[in-house]
Amino acid sequence: MSGHPQRRVAFLLAQIGADASSAFDRAVEQLGITASEAGLLRLVGRHPGISQKAASEHLGVGPSRVVAVLDRLEAGGHLERRRSVTDRRTHELTLTPGGEELLARLRPVAEAHEKAFTAMLPEGDLDRLAGYLEAIAEARHLDREVHRQTTPR
Amino acid sequence: MSGHPQRRVAFLLAQIGADASSAFDRAVEQLGITASEAGLLRLVGRHPGISQKAASEHLGVGPSRVVAVLDRLEAGGHLERRRSVTDRRTHELTLTPGGEELLARLRPVAEAHEKAFTAMLPEGDLDRLAGYLEAIAEARHLDREVHRQTTPR
DNA sequence: TATTGTTATACTCTATAACTATA
DNA sequence: TATAGTTATAGAGTATAACAATA
Protein backbone atom coordinates (compact mmCIF):
# COMPACT_ATOMS: atom_id res chain seq x y z
CA MET A 1 0.00 0.00 0.00
CA SER A 2 1.28 3.49 -0.82
CA GLY A 3 1.00 6.28 1.67
CA HIS A 4 -1.70 7.91 -0.48
CA PRO A 5 -3.99 5.14 -1.59
CA GLN A 6 -6.95 7.40 -2.36
CA ARG A 7 -5.53 10.53 -3.90
CA ARG A 8 -7.67 11.52 -6.84
CA VAL A 9 -5.92 14.47 -8.41
CA ALA A 10 -6.86 13.58 -12.00
CA PHE A 11 -10.48 13.18 -10.95
CA LEU A 12 -10.54 16.54 -9.16
CA LEU A 13 -8.90 18.20 -12.15
CA ALA A 14 -11.56 16.86 -14.49
CA GLN A 15 -14.36 17.88 -12.17
CA ILE A 16 -13.06 21.38 -11.43
CA GLY A 17 -12.04 21.92 -15.05
CA ALA A 18 -15.55 21.19 -16.28
CA ASP A 19 -16.89 23.62 -13.71
CA ALA A 20 -14.36 26.26 -14.80
CA SER A 21 -15.41 25.84 -18.43
CA SER A 22 -19.10 26.15 -17.81
CA ALA A 23 -18.62 29.02 -15.34
CA PHE A 24 -16.67 30.89 -18.01
CA ASP A 25 -19.46 30.16 -20.47
CA ARG A 26 -21.99 31.66 -18.09
CA ALA A 27 -19.74 34.64 -17.35
CA VAL A 28 -19.35 35.69 -20.98
CA GLU A 29 -23.04 35.15 -21.62
CA GLN A 30 -23.64 38.64 -20.22
CA LEU A 31 -21.63 39.96 -23.19
CA GLY A 32 -23.86 38.10 -25.62
CA ILE A 33 -21.16 35.66 -26.71
CA THR A 34 -20.10 32.09 -26.02
CA ALA A 35 -16.77 30.89 -24.64
CA SER A 36 -15.72 29.78 -28.14
CA GLU A 37 -16.46 33.22 -29.50
CA ALA A 38 -14.55 34.84 -26.64
CA GLY A 39 -11.59 32.60 -27.40
CA LEU A 40 -11.52 33.52 -31.07
CA LEU A 41 -11.98 37.20 -30.22
CA ARG A 42 -8.97 37.11 -27.92
CA LEU A 43 -6.89 35.17 -30.42
CA VAL A 44 -7.55 37.64 -33.23
CA GLY A 45 -6.90 40.49 -30.79
CA ARG A 46 -3.45 39.05 -30.11
CA HIS A 47 -2.79 38.05 -33.72
CA PRO A 48 -4.45 40.49 -36.11
CA GLY A 49 -4.63 39.19 -39.67
CA ILE A 50 -4.39 35.54 -38.60
CA SER A 51 -5.83 33.00 -41.06
CA GLN A 52 -8.65 30.62 -40.26
CA LYS A 53 -6.28 27.69 -40.63
CA ALA A 54 -3.87 29.17 -38.09
CA ALA A 55 -6.77 30.06 -35.79
CA SER A 56 -8.02 26.49 -36.05
CA GLU A 57 -4.62 25.21 -34.93
CA HIS A 58 -4.25 27.70 -32.10
CA LEU A 59 -7.72 26.99 -30.80
CA GLY A 60 -7.46 23.26 -31.29
CA VAL A 61 -10.79 22.98 -33.09
CA GLY A 62 -11.51 21.84 -36.63
CA PRO A 63 -11.57 24.33 -39.49
CA SER A 64 -15.31 23.82 -39.98
CA ARG A 65 -15.93 24.76 -36.35
CA VAL A 66 -13.98 27.99 -36.92
CA VAL A 67 -16.33 28.81 -39.78
CA ALA A 68 -19.39 28.56 -37.53
CA VAL A 69 -17.91 30.61 -34.67
CA LEU A 70 -16.64 33.17 -37.15
CA ASP A 71 -20.02 33.46 -38.84
CA ARG A 72 -21.61 34.49 -35.57
CA LEU A 73 -18.88 36.98 -34.68
CA GLU A 74 -19.01 38.49 -38.14
CA ALA A 75 -22.82 38.69 -38.04
CA GLY A 76 -22.49 40.49 -34.71
CA GLY A 77 -20.17 43.03 -36.30
CA HIS A 78 -17.22 42.12 -34.08
CA LEU A 79 -14.87 40.65 -36.63
CA GLU A 80 -14.11 40.76 -40.35
CA ARG A 81 -12.81 38.32 -42.94
CA ARG A 82 -10.64 39.97 -45.56
CA ARG A 83 -9.33 38.12 -48.59
CA SER A 84 -5.56 38.11 -48.51
CA VAL A 85 -4.04 39.82 -51.54
CA THR A 86 -0.97 37.62 -51.44
CA ASP A 87 -2.85 34.31 -51.20
CA ARG A 88 -6.45 34.64 -52.25
CA ARG A 89 -7.36 31.30 -50.69
CA THR A 90 -6.95 32.66 -47.19
CA HIS A 91 -8.85 35.14 -45.06
CA GLU A 92 -7.14 37.64 -42.80
CA LEU A 93 -9.17 37.96 -39.61
CA THR A 94 -9.34 41.35 -37.94
CA LEU A 95 -11.39 42.89 -35.17
CA THR A 96 -13.78 45.70 -36.00
CA PRO A 97 -13.87 48.72 -33.64
CA GLY A 98 -16.91 47.04 -32.07
CA GLY A 99 -14.87 43.88 -31.65
CA GLU A 100 -12.07 45.80 -29.94
CA GLU A 101 -14.59 47.30 -27.59
CA LEU A 102 -16.10 43.90 -26.83
CA LEU A 103 -12.63 42.55 -26.13
CA ALA A 104 -12.05 45.40 -23.68
CA ARG A 105 -15.29 44.50 -21.89
CA LEU A 106 -14.25 40.85 -21.87
CA ARG A 107 -11.11 41.44 -19.84
CA PRO A 108 -12.74 42.36 -16.51
CA VAL A 109 -15.18 39.48 -16.96
CA ALA A 110 -12.26 37.08 -17.33
CA GLU A 111 -10.61 38.59 -14.26
CA ALA A 112 -13.74 38.14 -12.17
CA HIS A 113 -13.92 34.55 -13.39
CA GLU A 114 -10.32 33.97 -12.36
CA LYS A 115 -11.08 35.37 -8.95
CA ALA A 116 -14.04 33.02 -8.48
CA PHE A 117 -11.65 30.08 -8.75
CA THR A 118 -8.85 31.50 -6.65
CA ALA A 119 -10.42 33.72 -3.99
CA MET A 120 -10.47 30.94 -1.38
CA LEU A 121 -6.69 30.45 -1.46
CA PRO A 122 -4.02 32.82 -0.11
CA GLU A 123 -1.51 34.36 -2.50
CA GLY A 124 1.37 32.05 -1.68
CA ASP A 125 -0.73 28.94 -2.24
CA LEU A 126 -1.97 30.34 -5.53
CA ASP A 127 1.53 30.81 -6.83
CA ARG A 128 2.36 27.23 -5.95
CA LEU A 129 -0.90 25.97 -7.49
CA ALA A 130 -0.20 27.87 -10.71
CA GLY A 131 3.27 26.34 -10.78
CA TYR A 132 1.92 22.81 -10.37
CA LEU A 133 -0.68 23.33 -13.06
CA GLU A 134 1.90 24.69 -15.46
CA ALA A 135 4.08 21.66 -14.80
CA ILE A 136 1.16 19.36 -15.60
CA ALA A 137 0.22 21.34 -18.70
CA GLU A 138 3.78 21.14 -19.93
CA ALA A 139 4.10 17.42 -19.24
CA ARG A 140 0.80 16.84 -21.07
CA HIS A 141 1.87 19.10 -23.96
CA LEU A 142 -1.06 21.46 -23.48
CA ASP A 143 0.12 24.65 -25.05
CA ARG A 144 -3.13 25.81 -26.58
CA GLU A 145 -4.01 29.44 -26.12
CA VAL A 146 -7.63 28.84 -25.23
CA HIS A 147 -9.99 26.44 -23.52
CA ARG A 148 -10.89 23.22 -25.21
CA GLN A 149 -14.02 21.21 -24.64
CA THR A 150 -12.29 17.96 -25.44
CA THR A 151 -8.96 16.70 -26.67
CA PRO A 152 -8.92 14.82 -29.98
CA ARG A 153 -7.96 11.17 -30.04
CA MET B 1 -1.14 46.69 -11.29
CA SER B 2 -1.24 43.67 -9.03
CA GLY B 3 1.84 41.58 -8.42
CA HIS B 4 0.37 38.78 -10.54
CA PRO B 5 -1.20 40.41 -13.55
CA GLN B 6 -1.17 37.33 -15.75
CA ARG B 7 -2.00 34.40 -13.53
CA ARG B 8 -4.46 32.16 -15.31
CA VAL B 9 -5.35 29.45 -12.82
CA ALA B 10 -8.97 29.12 -13.98
CA PHE B 11 -7.82 28.84 -17.57
CA LEU B 12 -5.24 26.17 -16.77
CA LEU B 13 -7.83 24.26 -14.75
CA ALA B 14 -10.26 24.24 -17.68
CA GLN B 15 -7.57 23.17 -20.11
CA ILE B 16 -6.07 20.44 -17.94
CA GLY B 17 -9.50 19.25 -16.82
CA ALA B 18 -10.63 18.73 -20.41
CA ASP B 19 -7.44 16.80 -21.06
CA ALA B 20 -8.01 14.68 -17.95
CA SER B 21 -11.55 13.86 -19.08
CA SER B 22 -10.62 12.82 -22.57
CA ALA B 23 -7.55 10.92 -21.36
CA PHE B 24 -9.78 8.94 -19.00
CA ASP B 25 -12.15 8.29 -21.90
CA ARG B 26 -9.29 6.89 -23.95
CA ALA B 27 -7.99 4.86 -21.00
CA VAL B 28 -11.25 3.01 -20.37
CA GLU B 29 -11.74 2.44 -24.08
CA GLN B 30 -9.46 -0.59 -23.78
CA LEU B 31 -12.11 -2.12 -21.50
CA GLY B 32 -14.79 -1.56 -24.13
CA ILE B 33 -16.65 1.09 -22.15
CA THR B 34 -16.98 4.86 -22.03
CA ALA B 35 -16.18 7.16 -19.11
CA SER B 36 -19.91 7.52 -18.39
CA GLU B 37 -20.28 3.77 -18.23
CA ALA B 38 -17.24 3.50 -15.96
CA GLY B 39 -18.75 6.12 -13.68
CA LEU B 40 -22.05 4.29 -13.37
CA LEU B 41 -20.27 0.99 -12.88
CA ARG B 42 -18.27 2.42 -10.00
CA LEU B 43 -21.32 4.08 -8.48
CA VAL B 44 -23.35 0.87 -8.49
CA GLY B 45 -20.32 -0.98 -7.13
CA ARG B 46 -20.25 1.38 -4.17
CA HIS B 47 -24.04 1.53 -3.77
CA PRO B 48 -25.60 -1.78 -4.76
CA GLY B 49 -29.37 -1.55 -5.25
CA ILE B 50 -29.28 2.20 -5.96
CA SER B 51 -32.21 3.55 -7.98
CA GLN B 52 -31.86 5.29 -11.33
CA LYS B 53 -33.11 8.51 -9.79
CA ALA B 54 -30.45 8.40 -7.08
CA ALA B 55 -27.80 7.46 -9.66
CA SER B 56 -28.89 10.42 -11.78
CA GLU B 57 -28.36 12.74 -8.82
CA HIS B 58 -25.01 11.27 -7.83
CA LEU B 59 -23.71 11.41 -11.37
CA GLY B 60 -25.16 14.82 -12.08
CA VAL B 61 -26.76 13.79 -15.35
CA GLY B 62 -30.41 13.73 -16.35
CA PRO B 63 -32.54 10.63 -15.79
CA SER B 64 -32.87 10.06 -19.51
CA ARG B 65 -29.10 9.98 -19.89
CA VAL B 66 -28.94 7.30 -17.16
CA VAL B 67 -31.33 5.20 -19.23
CA ALA B 68 -29.02 5.27 -22.25
CA VAL B 69 -25.84 4.49 -20.30
CA LEU B 70 -27.66 1.75 -18.41
CA ASP B 71 -28.98 0.20 -21.60
CA ARG B 72 -25.45 -0.30 -22.88
CA LEU B 73 -24.15 -1.70 -19.61
CA GLU B 74 -27.10 -4.06 -19.35
CA ALA B 75 -26.70 -5.16 -22.99
CA GLY B 76 -23.03 -5.87 -22.20
CA GLY B 77 -24.07 -8.09 -19.32
CA HIS B 78 -22.37 -5.91 -16.70
CA LEU B 79 -25.35 -4.64 -14.80
CA GLU B 80 -28.97 -5.53 -14.03
CA ARG B 81 -32.18 -3.63 -13.40
CA ARG B 82 -34.45 -5.32 -10.86
CA ARG B 83 -37.94 -4.08 -10.09
CA SER B 84 -38.11 -3.14 -6.45
CA VAL B 85 -40.68 -5.15 -4.55
CA THR B 86 -41.41 -2.32 -2.14
CA ASP B 87 -41.90 0.36 -4.82
CA ARG B 88 -42.56 -1.12 -8.22
CA ARG B 89 -41.84 2.18 -9.96
CA THR B 90 -38.15 1.96 -9.19
CA HIS B 91 -35.32 -0.24 -10.39
CA GLU B 92 -32.62 -1.55 -8.09
CA LEU B 93 -29.32 -1.52 -9.98
CA THR B 94 -26.83 -4.27 -9.27
CA LEU B 95 -23.62 -5.50 -10.86
CA THR B 96 -23.54 -8.92 -12.45
CA PRO B 97 -20.50 -11.14 -11.79
CA GLY B 98 -19.19 -9.89 -15.14
CA GLY B 99 -19.73 -6.31 -13.96
CA GLU B 100 -17.79 -6.98 -10.77
CA GLU B 101 -14.97 -8.38 -12.82
CA LEU B 102 -15.00 -5.38 -15.14
CA LEU B 103 -14.91 -3.09 -12.13
CA ALA B 104 -11.86 -4.96 -10.85
CA ARG B 105 -10.15 -4.44 -14.20
CA LEU B 106 -11.13 -0.78 -14.12
CA ARG B 107 -9.23 -0.03 -10.93
CA PRO B 108 -5.67 -0.40 -12.27
CA VAL B 109 -6.68 1.58 -15.37
CA ALA B 110 -7.86 4.44 -13.14
CA GLU B 111 -4.63 4.24 -11.15
CA ALA B 112 -2.50 4.46 -14.29
CA HIS B 113 -4.58 7.43 -15.38
CA GLU B 114 -4.00 9.14 -12.05
CA LYS B 115 -0.30 8.55 -12.41
CA ALA B 116 -0.22 10.13 -15.87
CA PHE B 117 -1.39 13.40 -14.31
CA THR B 118 0.80 13.30 -11.24
CA ALA B 119 4.04 11.53 -12.18
CA MET B 120 5.86 14.78 -12.96
CA LEU B 121 5.39 16.18 -9.44
CA PRO B 122 7.14 15.01 -6.26
CA GLU B 123 5.05 13.57 -3.43
CA GLY B 124 5.07 16.66 -1.25
CA ASP B 125 3.89 18.88 -4.08
CA LEU B 126 1.15 16.40 -4.91
CA ASP B 127 -0.22 16.53 -1.39
CA ARG B 128 -0.34 20.30 -1.54
CA LEU B 129 -1.92 20.24 -5.00
CA ALA B 130 -4.59 17.82 -3.83
CA GLY B 131 -5.29 20.08 -0.87
CA TYR B 132 -5.69 23.14 -3.10
CA LEU B 133 -7.97 21.30 -5.48
CA GLU B 134 -10.12 20.05 -2.63
CA ALA B 135 -10.40 23.60 -1.32
CA ILE B 136 -11.55 24.81 -4.73
CA ALA B 137 -13.99 21.90 -5.12
CA GLU B 138 -15.47 22.67 -1.73
CA ALA B 139 -15.76 26.39 -2.39
CA ARG B 140 -17.43 25.62 -5.74
CA HIS B 141 -19.73 23.02 -4.12
CA LEU B 142 -18.48 20.23 -6.34
CA ASP B 143 -19.28 17.12 -4.37
CA ARG B 144 -20.25 14.82 -7.21
CA GLU B 145 -18.83 11.32 -7.13
CA VAL B 146 -17.87 11.22 -10.79
CA HIS B 147 -16.64 13.30 -13.69
CA ARG B 148 -19.04 15.61 -15.43
CA GLN B 149 -18.77 16.81 -18.99
CA THR B 150 -20.49 20.10 -18.20
CA THR B 151 -22.19 21.81 -15.32
CA PRO B 152 -25.86 22.72 -15.78
CA ARG B 153 -26.89 26.35 -15.79
C1' DT C 1 -1.44 18.19 -57.03
C1' DA C 2 -1.94 20.47 -52.58
C1' DT C 3 -4.17 23.86 -49.57
C1' DT C 4 -7.92 27.17 -47.62
C1' DG C 5 -12.21 27.72 -46.54
C1' DT C 6 -16.95 25.89 -46.94
C1' DT C 7 -20.78 22.69 -46.79
C1' DA C 8 -22.94 18.45 -45.53
C1' DT C 9 -23.39 14.53 -42.64
C1' DA C 10 -23.16 11.59 -38.67
C1' DC C 11 -22.39 10.97 -33.84
C1' DT C 12 -22.47 12.22 -29.00
C1' DC C 13 -24.02 14.62 -24.97
C1' DT C 14 -27.45 17.86 -22.96
C1' DA C 15 -32.02 19.39 -21.81
C1' DT C 16 -36.82 19.24 -21.95
C1' DA C 17 -41.32 17.69 -22.35
C1' DA C 18 -44.65 14.10 -22.88
C1' DC C 19 -45.89 9.56 -21.70
C1' DT C 20 -46.60 4.98 -18.63
C1' DA C 21 -47.00 2.68 -14.58
C1' DT C 22 -47.08 2.97 -10.20
C1' DA C 23 -47.72 5.30 -5.65
C1' DT D 1 -51.67 14.26 -7.65
C1' DA D 2 -46.88 13.12 -7.54
C1' DT D 3 -42.91 10.21 -8.73
C1' DA D 4 -39.66 6.71 -11.44
C1' DG D 5 -38.45 5.47 -15.54
C1' DT D 6 -38.93 5.82 -20.60
C1' DT D 7 -39.25 7.89 -25.11
C1' DA D 8 -38.90 11.57 -28.42
C1' DT D 9 -37.05 15.73 -29.88
C1' DA D 10 -34.18 19.76 -30.33
C1' DG D 11 -29.76 21.96 -29.67
C1' DA D 12 -24.68 22.30 -29.49
C1' DG D 13 -20.05 20.42 -30.23
C1' DT D 14 -16.98 17.14 -32.70
C1' DA D 15 -15.14 14.78 -36.69
C1' DT D 16 -15.00 13.56 -41.31
C1' DA D 17 -15.41 13.76 -46.10
C1' DA D 18 -16.43 16.11 -50.26
C1' DC D 19 -16.26 20.36 -52.76
C1' DA D 20 -14.84 25.07 -55.04
C1' DA D 21 -11.41 28.40 -55.50
C1' DT D 22 -6.77 29.18 -55.58
C1' DA D 23 -1.88 28.05 -55.33
Side-chain angles (χ1 to χ4, degrees):
Chain A
M1 306 272 161
S2 110
H4 306 278
Q6 290 276 104
R7 203 170 39 207
R8 307 172 306 155
V9 167
F11 172 84
L12 282 164
L13 285 169
Q15 191 175 32
I16 294 169
D19 184 48
S21 285
S22 63
F24 186 69
D25 240 313
R26 282 193 298 278
V28 298
E29 213 173 27
Q30 64 187 290
L31 302 176
I33 56 175
T34 65
S36 302
E37 288 160 15
L40 184 53
L41 204 64
R42 294 212 272 188
L43 180 66
V44 176
R46 267 195 307 274
H47 303 283
I50 192 174
S51 73
Q52 292 180 212
K53 177 79 181 334
S56 164
E57 282 160 5
H58 272 94
L59 300 174
V61 303
S64 61
R65 185 81 202 113
V66 173
V67 172
V69 177
L70 209 41
D71 283 348
R72 279 179 296 183
L73 282 172
E74 198 169 34
H78 304 305
L79 199 143
E80 280 179 355
R81 289 163 160 111
R82 294 193 198 148
R83 279 260 172 242
S84 164
V85 289
T86 60
D87 182 343
R88 291 181 41 75
R89 291 174 303 181
T90 72
H91 288 149
E92 292 170 356
L93 306 181
T94 56
L95 297 184
T96 62
E100 299 276 9
E101 199 242 329
L102 181 56
L103 185 55
R105 287 197 292 141
L106 177 57
R107 274 186 259 273
V109 171
E111 275 167 37
H113 173 249
E114 169 76 13
K115 208 154 190 184
F117 278 81
T118 55
M120 75 297 289
L121 293 173
E123 277 298 312
D125 287 357
L126 275 181
D127 284 338
R128 276 193 292 274
L129 172 57
Y132 300 156
L133 295 178
E134 273 155 21
I136 293 175
E138 187 178 3
R140 302 284 308 173
H141 306 106
L142 301 177
D143 48 8
R144 302 286 178 201
E145 293 193 18
V146 296
H147 294 196
R148 301 203 53 175
Q149 307 288 63
T150 67
T151 302
R153 309 194 165 186
Chain B
M1 306 275 162
S2 108
H4 306 278
Q6 288 275 102
R7 202 170 39 208
R8 305 173 308 155
V9 168
F11 171 84
L12 282 165
L13 285 169
Q15 192 176 33
I16 295 170
D19 184 48
S21 285
S22 62
F24 186 68
D25 240 314
R26 282 193 299 278
V28 297
E29 212 172 27
Q30 62 188 289
L31 302 176
I33 57 176
T34 64
S36 302
E37 288 160 15
L40 185 53
L41 205 65
R42 293 213 273 189
L43 181 65
V44 175
R46 267 195 307 274
H47 303 284
I50 193 174
S51 72
Q52 292 180 213
K53 177 78 180 334
S56 163
E57 283 161 4
H58 272 93
L59 300 174
V61 303
S64 61
R65 185 83 202 108
V66 172
V67 171
V69 177
L70 210 39
D71 282 348
R72 280 179 294 183
L73 282 172
E74 198 168 34
H78 303 306
L79 199 145
E80 281 179 353
R81 290 163 159 111
R82 295 193 196 146
R83 279 260 172 242
S84 164
V85 289
T86 60
D87 183 343
R88 294 182 39 76
R89 291 173 303 183
T90 71
H91 288 147
E92 293 169 355
L93 306 181
T94 56
L95 297 184
T96 63
E100 299 277 8
E101 199 242 330
L102 182 57
L103 186 55
R105 287 197 293 142
L106 176 57
R107 274 186 261 272
V109 171
E111 274 168 37
H113 172 250
E114 169 76 14
K115 208 153 190 185
F117 278 82
T118 55
M120 77 295 292
L121 293 172
E123 277 297 312
D125 288 358
L126 274 181
D127 284 339
R128 276 193 293 276
L129 172 57
Y132 300 155
L133 294 178
E134 273 155 21
I136 293 175
E138 186 178 3
R140 301 285 308 173
H141 306 107
L142 300 177
D143 48 7
R144 301 284 179 201
E145 294 193 17
V146 295
H147 294 196
R148 302 203 50 175
Q149 307 289 63
T150 67
T151 301
R153 307 197 168 186

